[in-house]
Amino acid sequence: MREINVAAITSCVRQMCMDANYHLSPDMQARLFEAAETEQSPLGRQILEKLKENLEIAAADQIPICQDTGMAVVFVEVGQEVHLTGGDVSSAIQEGVRRGYQDGYLRKSIVRDPLTRVNTGDNTPAVIHYTIVPGEQVRITVAPKGFGSENKSRLFMLVPADGVDGVKKAVLQTVREAGPNACPPMAVGVGIGGNFEKCACLAKQALLIPTDQQSEDPQIRKLEQELLAEINKTGIGPAGLGGTVTALALHVKTYPTHIAGLPVAVNICCHVNRHETMVL
Amino acid sequence: MDCRISTPFTKEKAAELHIGDMVYLTGTIYTARDAAHKRMMEAIRQGRPLPFDLHNSIIYYMGPTPARDGRPIGSAGPTTAGRMDAYAPTLLDLGETGMIGKGRRNEAVRQAVIRNGAVYFAAIGGAGALLSKAITSAEVVAYEDLGTEAVRKLTVQEFPVIVVMDSKGNDLYEIAASKYCTE
Ligand code: SF4
């Protein structure tokens, strides 16, 4: 049994909130740089060059890449051999978010009640997902999610007869409807299977997969490649102003499902696809 | 076409712009997002004064991050304009001539743009760090309790925007994708 004090979790979460908002992961950044080379539209290339410059300024000045520094989504994998001490782990995570958003000059975008809408003033609460895993480590991922793109995400309860074509149609429809609103070029996370809530979670987790990593399942790998190619044929382009790069990355995550269903979730993210991971 | 424009943004200036033009704005613009628009609409209904003069004004749909020491503002890119569609026609009818945001607008806004000879500009979404460099001063002028959603008066210097809906109601989003669509 290994002991970990939750104070260590607070300080990791604080740091990751800031880092995720100032820098993209190297793989995500590489996709954006490639796009600036391959984009066919002159205006599109000009926009991608500006986005590259934006990343440089954010890193140099330690200011957020985007002013929507998001709702913090925190994935926590707790090894079952770990004993967490020093207090309640959820409060420790929320405290990390509070300090990260305060100390990092990040925007406070959370309202306490979805209907009365008064800002909580410290960007808490975060959305926290826990998983218990084997081992004696704690792995934490912080993924601040902007709502321009979150608002364009969709969940479809398809039926088995819809098959892979139905899945493709659902993804393309979602991307088209998102269009310029989701600050393309986008990153797209697709969940297939599970049930209603599991499917949405798969889609969110698919956004965390490194952009250069391919699925081990040949059928899914093929689907990912085909979907990305088809999205890039829509012509939506950078900022939705026309072009050949509409999405920089797309990943699919699947889970077993019921004989009667084929849930599909499409989590749209902009190019500011932020996530940081630390292992304790 | 690239061009430079300074505020006040008169209808004469608006009439010269066409979709696809890259415009560098210099002068004064105001920020307002969902919550500030809602309050302005209440003020209009109740006949109370607005936080700024709408005549020939440009409203930037934006809520910044806090400024670091020595900087006027933090990251400052556009938010989705469609959420302001319910309010924009009223403000356009009262003299607002320019809107800056990102994303599609509805038909009611398009009609109000045509009726009033106004322009809808897009700023590049997700370029908040870059755009902050074109803002030389920022001052909260109303609704301070709304935090990032307060109304701010911004002084901008060559702030880059693209005309996506011109005063004739042409919509760049509608035609842009078809040019590169290979489906
Ligand atoms: S969709 Fe992404 S890039 Fe656009 S404003 Fe939201 S967080 Fe920023």
Side-chain angles (χ1 to χ4, degrees):
Chain A
M1 183 72 82
R2 181 176 165 223
E3 289 203 353
I4 295 178
N5 192 301
V6 296
I9 293 180
T10 298
S11 82
C12 283
V13 169
R14 171 186 174 275
Q15 192 60 45
M16 285 191 283
C17 288
M18 297 196 265
D19 289 345
N21 273 297
Y22 304 152
H23 315 273
L24 290 185
S25 58
D27 60 292
M28 197 64 214
Q29 181 159 328
R31 292 291 91 72
L32 189 69
F33 279 45
E34 278 166 28
E37 301 291 319
T38 57
E39 172 56 57
Q40 300 289 305
S41 145
L43 179 59
R45 273 201 304 279
Q46 214 180 329
I47 289 165
L48 293 166
E49 284 300 331
K50 287 215 185 329
L51 292 178
K52 277 172 66 175
E53 200 186 324
N54 184 61
L55 292 182
E56 284 161 20
I57 294 170
D61 293 3
Q62 298 279 286
I63 85 164
I65 302 166
C66 178
Q67 77 292 334
D68 184 356
T69 53
M71 184 167 205
V73 182
V74 185
F75 291 94
V76 194
E77 290 176 15
V78 185
Q80 64 186 35
E81 309 299 332
V82 174
H83 178 208
L84 295 169
T85 61
D88 151 41
V89 61
S90 295
S91 305
I93 291 169
Q94 302 295 4
E95 184 58 26
V97 170
R98 185 174 293 120
R99 289 188 199 166
Y101 275 72
Q102 192 56 45
D103 300 348
Y105 294 84
L106 307 181
R107 198 177 80 182
K108 324 300 183 287
S109 312
I110 305 304
V111 292
R112 168 79 53 211
D113 180 291
L115 298 176
T116 52
R117 308 198 72 83
V118 177
N119 199 303
T120 60
D122 60 8
N123 218 58
T124 68
V127 173
I128 310 175
H129 300 284
Y130 292 101
T131 330
I132 307 288
V133 297
E136 50 170 37
Q137 290 182 329
V138 174
R139 185 186 161 91
I140 309 171
T141 297
V142 175
K145 184 67 169 73
F147 259 56
S149 51
E150 192 75 351
N151 279 343
K152 306 314 286 183
S153 302
R154 297 285 179 267
L155 183 68
F156 302 81
M157 298 307 282
L158 302 184
V159 296
D162 292 324
V164 73
D165 286 343
V167 172
K168 282 188 174 175
K169 237 173 89 186
V171 174
L172 278 150
Q173 180 192 327
T174 307
V175 167
R176 274 201 202 90
E177 283 172 11
N181 295 34
C183 298
M186 310 173 199
V188 184
V190 181
I192 309 177
N195 62 352
F196 187 75
E197 82 278 6
K198 176 71 183 176
C199 192
C201 225
L202 290 172
K204 176 118 306 162
Q205 285 165 332
L207 285 173
L208 305 177
I209 300 173
T211 56
D212 40 17
Q213 188 176 310
Q214 293 191 321
S215 173
E216 283 168 14
D217 178 340
Q219 175 191 296
I220 297 301
R221 192 157 65 230
K222 182 164 170 273
L223 178 62
E224 289 176 342
Q225 289 163 352
E226 287 174 358
L227 277 172
L228 187 58
E230 284 177 38
I231 288 171
N232 286 328
K233 283 184 191 162
T234 57
I236 295 168
L241 296 176
T244 51
V245 183
T246 298
L248 298 170
L250 179 144
H251 283 103
V252 174
K253 262 178 105 75
T254 65
Y255 194 81
T257 189
H258 189 277
I259 48 173
L262 176 55
V264 178
V266 189
N267 198 184
I268 300 283
C269 192
C270 47
H271 58 281
V272 193
N273 181 13
R274 294 160 280 205
H275 44 83
E276 285 285 326
T277 299
M278 280 174 119
V279 179
L280 283 174
Chain B
M1 207 185 67
D2 280 16
C3 58
R4 291 179 160 65
I5 286 207
S6 45
T7 63
F9 188 49
T10 60
K11 291 189 181 181
E12 290 69 40
K13 292 178 190 170
E16 296 195 354
L17 297 177
H18 303 282
I19 50 169
D21 289 349
M22 177 74 88
V23 176
Y24 294 89
L25 283 173
T26 296
T28 303
I29 63 177
Y30 293 89
T31 70
R33 314 176 22 120
D34 312 53
H37 272 82
K38 194 160 172 243
R39 285 202 191 168
M40 287 198 285
M41 293 295 281
E42 277 159 23
I44 291 167
R45 252 193 312 274
Q46 294 166 1
R48 286 185 284 115
L50 291 174
F52 56 92
D53 184 7
L54 280 175
H55 185 64
N56 290 341
S57 68
I58 297 178
I59 298 182
Y60 183 19
Y61 304 142
M62 190 277 286
T65 61
R68 281 193 185 269
D69 288 346
R71 291 286 308 148
I73 202 162
S75 196
T79 195
T80 306
R83 293 197 317 274
M84 266 51 77
D85 283 358
Y87 315 116
T90 305
L91 300 183
L92 290 166
D93 288 342
L94 289 173
E96 176 192 10
T97 44
M99 303 167 279
I100 307 173
K102 57 147 172 140
R104 302 183 187 107
R105 309 307 300 265
N106 70 11
E107 184 57 24
V109 173
R110 202 176 76 91
Q111 289 306 327
V113 160
I114 298 171
R115 183 160 74 236
N116 295 290
V119 168
Y120 168 47
F121 301 98
I124 300 173
L130 175 84
L131 292 168
S132 77
K133 293 279 190 190
I135 299 171
T136 55
S137 79
E139 176 200 346
V140 172
V141 292
Y143 315 146
E144 192 158 13
D145 60 298
L146 294 179
T148 186
E149 294 207 67
V151 172
R152 287 173 170 78
K153 179 179 177 183
L154 305 182
T155 312
V156 293
Q157 180 74 37
E158 306 235 327
F159 187 88
V161 290
I162 299 159
V163 177
V164 285
M165 190 181 287
D166 60 27
S167 56
K168 306 279 178 308
N170 298 307
D171 184 345
L172 182 58
Y173 290 132
E174 289 295 319
I175 57 169
S178 62
K179 204 167 154 200
Y180 292 93
C181 178
T182 51
E183 289 171 295

